[in-house]
Amino acid sequence: MRRVVQTMARARQPQVEPEQDKSAFKWEPYRTVGGPLRVSHTSCCGRYEWASEGGQFFVLRRTGDSYEETGRGLYRQALDIYIALAEAHHDQHLRRGETTEPDTFLKRKGRRGKPAQQPTNSHHQPVAHHAQEEGTPSVTTDNDVQDAAALRDAMTTAVATMCAEWGFPLPVQVEAAFRTVPRHLFAPEVSPEKAYALDIVEVKRSEHGVLTSTMSAPETQAVQLVQADISPGMRVLEIGSGGYFAALISELVGPTGQVTSMDIDANVISRARACLDAAGYERVRVATGDAEYGLKADAPYDRIMVTVGAWDIPPAWREQLAPRGRIVVPLRMKGISRSLALEPANDHLVAVSQVLSGFVWMQGAGANDGHLWLLRGKKVGLRFDDGNLERPSALDGVLDSEPAAAWSGVTVGRSEPFPDLALWMAAAFSGFCHLVVDTSDGDPGVAVEPGGRQFPFAAVDDDGDSFAYLSVRPAGEGVVEMGAHGYGPHGSQIAEAIVEQVRVWDRDYRNGPSPDFAVWPIGTPEKALPEGAMVIDKRHTKITISWPDVTARSQVAPPIQ
């Protein structure tokens, strides 16, 4: 869809020289730093280009047979320089009585013009391939409006199909928002094809390489918007900023509503501000702050949209929520994440919808990384998201024992999802945890049947000296049987206990109702909580997970002796 073109050395255009060129900016010869050069916007007749390369942003100016650059560095700085130059350049044309079409930035500021005749060899036109001359970069142009619109429509159609299959059909207004907001302008570091793919776009990693900010996959964002049920005129707080999701929300609330996007990272907020401005969503507000405390300035909110993985629900969110408001949040429970749509119900919150989700984890005062206990160097470990081992040393050397296997007779298709099984296991075992294995060298690290695999859902027995994890083995064409492998003196027993819970899940919940979720203040007495529910204690709240039509305590695994 994109056009890769070589600028011809002989290609010349009538040039108009704004005063800013000569005094305000320092121009230097363009020198590549590696990686593709991407041009996101071009002034009316191609004189100036706002470009990025290797994660840096800058402005290019054509000078005869080569390019010069200025403003290399920050996104916002380069954007401001480009807007000033493009605007002055357009004004020069108008003063000379020449009519041109201003670039999209200027159109949003109310500038008008008429399309000028493009020179034969303008870089907006396909040109013959010539050997690249020094100072003349190979440019990937990302500002083709028709190409972006086609990609956007294809993405939206795919998203709508997926959401309908998941039971979250897109309302007309949500689909319209996806077909309107230019997603590629919120991902200037990647190609339009990548920006409109059904995948995340990385925004930032920590110094240790950990992903700390992303633009979520469009289908994930669509489901959250369906969960939110946003109407015109609403006031919405987005926690975890990137710009694109806030722009979608802005389309839904309309001119009478208000959207505020906040993030703990000032650089992420600066980038979001620049992207929102570039896409024409200047009225979306942005703020830097710790999500643990919400944002009082624009409260109360009809909707609080959380786009980072939260371990708890801080009191500030409930306090800043309108009486009939809704919080949509990817909440971690025993290390299992669900996007919950929570509404007030007397003294607590109840989930009116839930869907499987995965987000980068929240930073700041509300962060919780759990506890990771390594069993074999850095190769194998057990992570506890809620709770912890009382005697971690009891598992020392446990992987040196002979593994025990147990099989359930329950089969599933290799591509068949079973999202509620992990939640059922979490309810059944007080020692539920996640098996973490580094398979980068191809070694599974723990016992796996030929043609099978291990899953991260595990449990430690009550004595704390043995554990087992869910696994599968081939059981026919495209089918696997569910089972468990265990290690330690009680490894066989806890593997058998996992297998028994797989059978219970298969019988009662595989094709049945999902559990109900509720969030209660931390001081809520046990007698006020739903009978038979799994209770997860957090810092500020208690989370209850109730399984419909089942007396939960009668079907959980007995203690492993």
Side-chain angles (χ1 to χ4, degrees):
M1 301 291 287
R2 289 176 290 128
R3 298 193 299 274
V4 180
V5 303
Q6 296 286 346
T7 306
M8 296 175 60
R10 295 186 299 274
R12 302 294 178 90
Q13 297 183 19
Q15 300 298 338
V16 180
E17 192 78 12
E19 284 303 311
Q20 283 94 329
D21 271 1
K22 301 176 181 178
S23 59
F25 307 116
K26 180 180 180 181
W27 294 91
E28 298 177 348
Y30 165 78
R31 293 183 177 86
T32 181
V33 296
L37 174 68
R38 294 191 173 93
V39 175
S40 297
H41 282 277
T42 304
S43 62
C44 54
C45 64
R47 170 68 162 165
Y48 300 102
E49 296 171 338
W50 179 39
S52 63
E53 179 187 38
Q56 296 181 327
F57 300 88
F58 49 93
V59 179
L60 286 172
R61 174 181 68 176
R62 264 204 285 181
T63 56
D65 297 341
S66 62
Y67 273 91
E68 292 180 329
E69 66 169 75
T70 188
R72 181 178 287 268
L74 297 179
Y75 186 105
R76 178 76 252 180
Q77 176 188 4
L79 180 59
D80 288 343
I81 293 173
Y82 171 77
I83 291 174
L85 287 168
E87 188 167 37
H89 189 60
H90 181 65
D91 286 344
Q92 289 279 356
H93 276 296
L94 296 180
R95 283 196 291 270
R96 295 187 181 194
E98 300 165 351
T99 56
T100 62
E101 183 70 14
D103 113 310
T104 52
F105 287 119
L106 305 188
K107 286 180 182 178
R108 295 188 187 104
K109 296 176 68 175
R111 306 301 295 269
R112 293 291 182 266
K114 295 180 180 179
Q117 181 66 38
Q118 290 290 339
T120 302
N121 286 326
S122 166
H123 78 287
H124 289 287
Q125 304 292 333
V127 297
H129 179 82
H130 286 246
Q132 183 174 342
E133 299 187 16
E134 184 177 358
T136 306
S138 175
V139 181
T140 301
T141 59
D142 292 348
N143 61 330
D144 189 303
V145 176
Q146 291 182 340
D147 285 357
L151 289 168
R152 187 159 57 252
D153 282 344
M155 177 200 74
T156 304
T157 299
V159 167
T161 300
M162 295 175 69
C163 289
E165 293 174 352
W166 295 339
F168 289 86
L170 294 189
V172 172
Q173 62 271 26
V174 173
E175 183 171 340
F178 272 90
R179 295 193 188 278
T180 299
V181 180
R183 184 176 168 95
H184 65 289
L185 295 186
F186 295 88
E189 302 89 347
V190 302
S191 69
E193 289 86 351
K194 175 65 175 175
Y196 287 106
L198 301 183
D199 199 358
I200 67 168
V201 176
E202 294 189 10
V203 173
K204 186 175 182 179
R205 288 183 177 270
S206 71
E207 59 182 339
H208 304 294
V210 177
L211 198 58
T212 60
S213 180
T214 69
M215 180 163 63
S216 298
E219 63 271 25
T220 300
Q221 295 173 313
V223 169
Q224 280 203 307
L225 291 177
V226 175
Q227 287 186 289
D229 190 23
I230 297 171
S231 301
M234 283 187 171
R235 301 173 66 83
V236 181
L237 172 65
E238 179 200 21
I239 294 175
S241 187
Y244 177 67
F245 197 57
L248 291 171
I249 298 171
S250 182
E251 290 288 335
L252 297 177
V253 302
T256 60
Q258 178 60 57
V259 181
T260 303
S261 182
M262 71 175 298
D263 198 282
I264 196 171
D265 191 322
N267 290 330
V268 170
I269 280 293
S270 177
R271 179 187 182 280
R273 177 73 276 162
C275 290
L276 286 163
D277 291 348
Y281 293 90
E282 294 90 347
R283 66 189 189 86
V284 172
R285 301 177 184 178
V286 299
T288 304
D290 192 329
E292 179 78 0
Y293 312 106
L295 192 67
K296 291 182 180 180
D298 294 332
Y301 303 101
D302 299 292
R303 297 290 186 266
I304 296 178
M305 305 293 296
V306 185
T307 60
V308 287
W311 184 78
D312 199 0
I313 305 296
W317 297 359
R318 177 66 189 275
E319 294 165 1
Q320 295 170 16
L321 187 67
R324 297 190 179 186
R326 182 178 292 187
I327 301 172
V328 178
V329 54
L331 187 63
R332 277 173 30 227
M333 299 159 287
K334 296 283 187 177
I336 303 164
S337 181
R338 291 290 185 275
S339 179
L340 303 180
L342 299 168
E343 292 185 348
N346 298 322
D347 60 342
H348 64 288
L349 300 167
V350 296
V352 296
S353 74
Q354 62 99 1
V355 66
L356 190 69
S357 67
F359 289 78
V360 297
W361 291 4
M362 185 172 291
Q363 304 175 62
N368 188 306
D369 295 335
H371 304 275
L372 176 63
W373 299 102
L374 297 175
L375 305 181
R376 177 175 287 163
K378 295 183 179 180
K379 178 72 176 178
V380 182
L382 296 177
R383 181 183 295 278
F384 290 80
D385 196 64
D386 295 284
N388 198 5
L389 289 171
E390 292 185 4
R391 297 184 302 119
S393 60
L395 287 173
D396 288 349
V398 69
L399 289 180
D400 295 332
S401 64
E402 191 69 22
W407 300 100
S408 65
V410 176
T411 59
V412 297
R414 283 192 178 272
S415 60
E416 179 183 343
F418 42 89
D420 287 342
L421 176 56
L423 280 171
W424 179 252
M425 287 180 59
F429 298 101
S430 59
F432 179 82
C433 57
H434 286 250
L435 176 69
V436 181
V437 180
D438 179 4
T439 59
S440 58
D441 60 359
D443 177 13
V446 291
V448 177
E449 299 296 316
R453 58 163 293 190
Q454 83 278 10
F455 285 86
F457 314 124
V460 175
D461 73 325
D462 286 354
D463 288 338
D465 60 3
S466 306
F467 79 99
Y469 52 91
L470 187 70
S471 57
V472 296
R473 66 180 179 182
E477 185 67 28
V479 178
V480 294
E481 179 186 6
M482 307 188 82
H485 285 85
Y487 285 90
H490 305 112
S492 177
Q493 292 168 271
I494 195 164
E496 290 286 354
I498 288 177
V499 162
E500 179 55 33
Q501 292 310 310
V502 169
R503 296 187 183 114
V504 173
W505 164 80
D506 179 60
R507 183 187 69 225
D508 296 333
Y509 296 108
R510 181 172 179 175
N511 298 305
S514 296
D516 296 323
F517 301 85
V519 180
W520 307 76
I522 189 62
T524 303
E526 185 174 352
K527 63 182 181 181
L529 302 177
E531 184 178 356
M534 175 171 68
V535 181
I536 305 173
D537 288 331
K538 302 285 188 175
R539 185 179 300 123
H540 304 298
T541 65
K542 293 177 181 287
I543 312 297
T544 58
I545 304 177
S546 306
W547 294 83
D549 304 320
V550 171
T551 305
R553 300 305 182 212
S554 69
Q555 298 203 36
V556 298
I560 304 302
Q561 302 297 328

